Amino acid sequence: MNFKELCTKRFSVRSYLPTQVPDSAVEYILECARLAPSAVNKQPWVVYVCRDEGVCRQLQEAYNRSWFQQAPMYLVVCHQTDASWVRPCDQKNHGNIDIAILSEHICLAAAEQGLGSCWVCNFDPDGVRAALNLEANLEPAVIIPLGYSNETETEHPKVRKPLNEICVIK
């Protein structure tokens, strides 16, 4: 499949099969994530691979949605707040941008492997901190449930603005 087909195939999955994700697929996804670019190549991230039942239960408490509880595992992307690049002229911290790039690499790699994923940002960060016993410099930014989808991309047609509404040519 070409890149546009992959982008079309990827959607936010909110229904998962109970099938476990093979280690080989997780390793492939993490390797794709490792290759993600970041500002000044700082790579200010840590990805927690969560399969432990107790840890998963705590993550489910931090984002209490029935569909979220169906996922067989979670990847939690954390921002290393003391490691991201800050633009000198205006002090803009690029850590959240870097985390977004890494997270989308994860989601696209998952789709390419036939797996479903969904960005989850609306969670209780203190609950995630406690579940993962995070150090103070690690900010939980995104939880990505990962598993085999119980839905298809045809059930989720992409509604996007046309190019002429999002692009300016000068």
Side-chain angles (χ1 to χ4, degrees):
M1 112 181 54
N2 66 38
F3 188 67
K4 184 178 176 189
E5 291 168 337
L6 178 61
C7 291
T8 301
K9 180 180 179 175
R10 189 245 170 259
F11 65 95
S12 295
V13 172
R14 290 188 177 85
S15 181
Y16 293 89
L17 297 171
T19 310
Q20 290 299 311
V21 177
D23 289 342
S24 59
V26 175
E27 289 169 13
Y28 178 85
I29 291 165
L30 294 173
E31 181 62 17
C32 290
R34 187 184 71 81
L35 297 171
S38 61
V40 192
N41 199 30
K42 293 285 190 174
Q43 303 169 57
W45 48 58
V46 176
V47 179
Y48 285 80
V49 179
C50 304
R51 293 182 184 258
D52 176 81
E53 199 172 305
V55 171
C56 289
R57 199 172 312 106
Q58 287 181 288
L59 293 175
Q60 293 162 358
E61 290 172 12
Y63 184 68
N64 189 8
R65 303 294 190 282
S66 59
W67 69 266
F68 184 76
Q69 295 172 5
Q70 297 172 0
M73 66 175 298
Y74 305 94
L75 300 179
V76 180
V77 180
C78 294
H79 172 208
Q80 257 178 315
T81 57
D82 57 350
S84 54
W85 182 70
V86 176
R87 186 167 50 204
C89 66
D90 64 356
Q91 302 304 300
K92 177 171 178 42
N93 187 315
H94 279 66
N96 283 330
I97 296 168
D98 295 338
I99 293 303
I101 295 167
L102 176 87
S103 297
E104 191 57 12
H105 269 57
I106 289 170
C107 292
L108 288 169
E112 193 243 352
Q113 291 294 295
L115 295 164
S117 65
C118 183
W119 282 59
V120 175
C121 300
N122 182 23
F123 56 83
D124 171 19
D126 291 332
V128 174
R129 284 184 183 285
L132 302 177
N133 194 28
L134 296 180
E135 296 177 17
N137 70 324
L138 290 177
E139 173 190 34
V142 181
I143 303 174
I144 301 173
L146 190 63
Y148 291 97
S149 178
N150 198 23
E151 308 169 287
T152 65
E153 64 266 19
T154 57
E155 296 174 70
H156 296 272
K158 294 214 183 282
V159 178
R160 300 294 188 266
K161 293 179 181 179
L163 281 177
N164 67 348
E165 288 186 26
I166 64 166
C167 294
V168 178
I169 299 173
K170 296 227 177 211

